[in-house]
Amino acid sequence: MKGGRSKADSRNNDNKLKRKGSGAGTKVSKKAAKDPNKPKRPASAFFVFMEDFRKQYKEAHPNNKSVAAVGKAGGDKWKSLSEAEKAPFVAKAEKRKTEYNKDIAAYNKRLAAGIADDESDKSKSEVNDEDEEDESDGEEEDDDE
């Protein structure tokens, strides 16, 4: 067959179509689920600077709706700052980093100790005790009638 496709080619195309058309949300992630209790990483000096800069920029340009414009202006301003002008932001970032290191050390200790669950054994038993009391209350009412 001149110009014809082999079966292998058509199978490859079918597989490509199946992968493309699988739809959103069907990907199976191989990563472990994120722990919501884990401390967030601290902001870098640039992001500490951007926190203040966003406020200033909003006051100067109240009609601006573009996030990209704020980011671009902030990046340009950051590049133009000298090391001395960046120093307070670097100091704040370092302070946040030391706090983060303390928090992550405590988090890792809790994780190693096995207290990763939100509920402790005590709170679980209290919930079970309340359920048992509710059932016994219902039984007493039935006995009265």
Side-chain angles (χ1 to χ4, degrees), residues 5-130:
R5 292 186 176 179
S6 69
K7 287 184 179 181
D9 287 342
S10 63
R11 282 188 205 128
N12 287 340
N13 289 339
D14 289 344
N15 287 339
K16 288 179 185 176
L17 289 173
K18 285 179 186 174
R19 277 185 254 142
K20 278 187 179 178
S22 61
T26 58
K27 286 187 179 180
V28 177
S29 178
K30 293 182 182 179
K31 291 182 180 180
K34 290 187 178 182
D35 185 0
N37 298 326
K38 187 175 182 179
K40 290 186 177 183
R41 294 186 70 194
S44 67
F46 173 71
F47 285 102
V48 174
F49 162 76
M50 284 301 291
E51 290 172 1
D52 292 335
F53 181 79
R54 279 189 199 96
K55 293 173 189 168
Q56 295 170 359
Y57 193 85
K58 245 184 182 169
E59 290 171 2
H61 304 88
N63 295 330
N64 182 35
K65 303 286 184 199
S66 174
V67 175
V70 177
K72 184 135 179 97
D76 292 339
K77 173 108 181 199
W78 179 255
K79 287 178 188 175
S80 68
L81 292 177
S82 68
E83 292 300 318
E85 293 171 321
K86 290 180 183 180
F89 303 111
V90 173
K92 283 183 186 177
E94 286 298 320
K95 183 179 176 187
R96 289 184 185 185
K97 189 172 184 179
T98 56
E99 290 175 10
Y100 168 77
N101 287 336
K102 289 177 188 174
D103 291 344
I104 200 73
Y107 170 79
N108 287 335
K109 272 187 183 177
R110 283 182 293 174
L111 210 59
I115 310 175
D117 294 340
D118 289 333
E119 296 179 349
S120 66
D121 292 336
K122 182 180 177 188
S123 64
K124 287 180 183 176
S125 64
E126 289 174 357
V127 170
N128 291 338
D129 292 343
E130 290 173 4

